[in-house]
Amino acid sequence: MKNTFYLDEDMLENRAYNLSAEEKSFYIKNGYLIVEKLFSVEECTEILDIVYTYAEKEFPVIMNLDRREPIIFNIMKTKRLVSVLNELQNAPVSGLMSQVIFKQPGSAYAEQAWDPHQDNSYVESPNGLFLNALIPLKNQSPENGSLYIYPGSHTNGIYKCKKKKSYREGTKNNPGNKVLDKIVHRYERVDVSMNQGDVIFIHGNCIHGSYGNKSKTLPRPMLQFGYITKGEPFLSGKNAQRKEIPLC
């Protein structure tokens, strides 16, 4: 691995983001928020260099890389993320887990699409105080497997769903605890295109999914961190092995 320059610890620790009242209001109403350019292109390039050193042949998901790679943990606890999370939760948060999802063209997992699901159907936070922050490490659109989301679907708790294996689940099946169609159809789907270095914050109860990567040349690597309000109960999970991680 090359020496990092843009991801030194001092830089990661010393930049908070001041969330506006309008941004917080949007999140409360819709269950998600995109903050543009929270990470630079140079930072994303270095993150990619790091995560690709851990990638396996067919580019399956990497779980909890923050527990093996100190730089990934530093990103999980960087002030620019945690300052937003604390404001959205109205309380301090702890880390729970991390994932890297590649959707690398030509790999077995490239065209895998996630069914409409709620992340909290896995975490089982009873008070709905779990949320994710996802960082696209390359530009993403529906062509190369971007997210889609159902704004406002976070306000009624956890819906009934078809439980499905969602960790290295086999390359011919779409993962995700699929929310029943009659529920999903109550909401309007919005495609989410993002640029490298943007961050999307998603309420754990907000229904969302993703497209398969149909591009032959455009990967869609995504770094995802899960967080929860400090002290809230949650399910650890056999594969996810969630645990409350202090961030300061």
Side-chain angles (χ1 to χ4, degrees):
M1 185 191 308
K2 71 177 185 179
N3 293 328
T4 60
F5 175 73
Y6 294 99
L7 296 178
D8 65 273
E9 188 170 355
D10 288 341
M11 186 281 300
L12 287 169
E13 286 295 313
N14 291 324
R15 179 184 157 197
Y17 180 84
N18 295 316
L19 193 71
S20 71
E22 291 78 12
E23 287 173 316
K24 187 170 182 179
S25 177
F26 182 93
Y27 177 82
I28 291 170
K29 177 182 178 181
N30 295 286
Y32 76 99
L33 173 69
I34 297 173
V35 177
E36 297 180 349
K37 300 180 181 179
L38 201 55
F39 290 84
S40 69
V41 171
E42 292 82 6
E43 289 171 328
C44 290
T45 299
E46 288 201 0
I47 296 169
L48 276 171
D49 287 342
I50 293 165
V51 300
Y52 274 123
T53 65
Y54 292 91
E56 299 175 29
K57 181 179 179 181
E58 290 298 337
F59 294 90
V61 63
I62 301 175
M63 198 80 80
N64 294 322
L65 186 56
D66 60 287
R67 301 175 196 177
R68 292 187 280 160
E69 174 51 64
I71 292 175
I72 302 300
F73 177 61
N74 284 341
I75 297 167
M76 172 187 263
K77 67 187 180 79
T78 186
K79 284 186 177 179
R80 75 189 82 166
L81 288 177
V82 175
S83 59
V84 175
L85 293 158
N86 290 345
E87 185 69 21
L88 294 178
Q89 297 290 78
N90 295 311
V93 299
S94 297
L96 278 188
M97 63 171 297
S98 68
Q99 293 188 86
V100 183
I101 301 176
F102 292 98
K103 293 199 177 183
Q104 187 76 10
S107 73
Y109 290 90
E111 295 190 21
Q112 197 169 61
W114 280 68
D115 284 326
H117 65 281
Q118 296 171 293
D119 290 329
N120 199 24
S121 68
Y122 301 95
V123 180
E124 298 185 9
S125 167
N127 298 310
L129 294 176
F130 168 77
L131 74 169
N132 276 313
L134 300 91
I135 309 167
L137 302 176
K138 289 282 189 180
N139 294 351
Q140 60 175 251
S141 68
E143 178 189 6
N144 69 332
S146 68
L147 302 175
Y148 56 83
I149 202 160
Y150 294 86
S153 58
H154 64 299
T155 57
N156 291 302
I158 298 299
Y159 290 111
K160 291 183 178 180
C161 62
K162 180 181 179 181
K163 296 279 187 177
K164 300 173 70 177
K165 185 179 177 182
S166 299
Y167 174 70
R168 301 198 174 189
E169 54 294 315
T171 58
K172 295 183 179 180
N173 299 308
N174 290 341
N177 286 345
K178 186 176 181 181
V179 177
L180 302 180
D181 287 343
K182 65 180 181 180
I183 296 170
V184 172
H185 292 160
R186 298 175 188 173
Y187 303 98
E188 181 179 354
R189 186 171 72 185
V190 173
D191 290 345
V192 180
S193 294
M194 292 191 290
N195 293 319
Q196 185 180 39
D198 296 345
V199 179
I200 183 169
F201 299 88
I202 305 179
H203 191 289
N205 292 353
C206 190
I207 302 171
H208 64 287
S210 71
Y211 297 104
N213 187 354
K214 302 296 185 182
S215 168
K216 302 299 183 184
T217 59
L218 300 174
R220 197 227 67 173
M222 179 91 85
L223 179 59
Q224 175 177 326
F225 296 115
Y227 301 88
I228 198 164
T229 296
K230 284 185 179 180
E232 284 292 314
F234 61 88
L235 183 68
S236 174
K238 178 182 177 181
N239 295 310
Q241 297 182 15
R242 301 175 193 93
K243 64 179 182 179
E244 192 165 355
I245 303 169
L247 301 177
C248 60

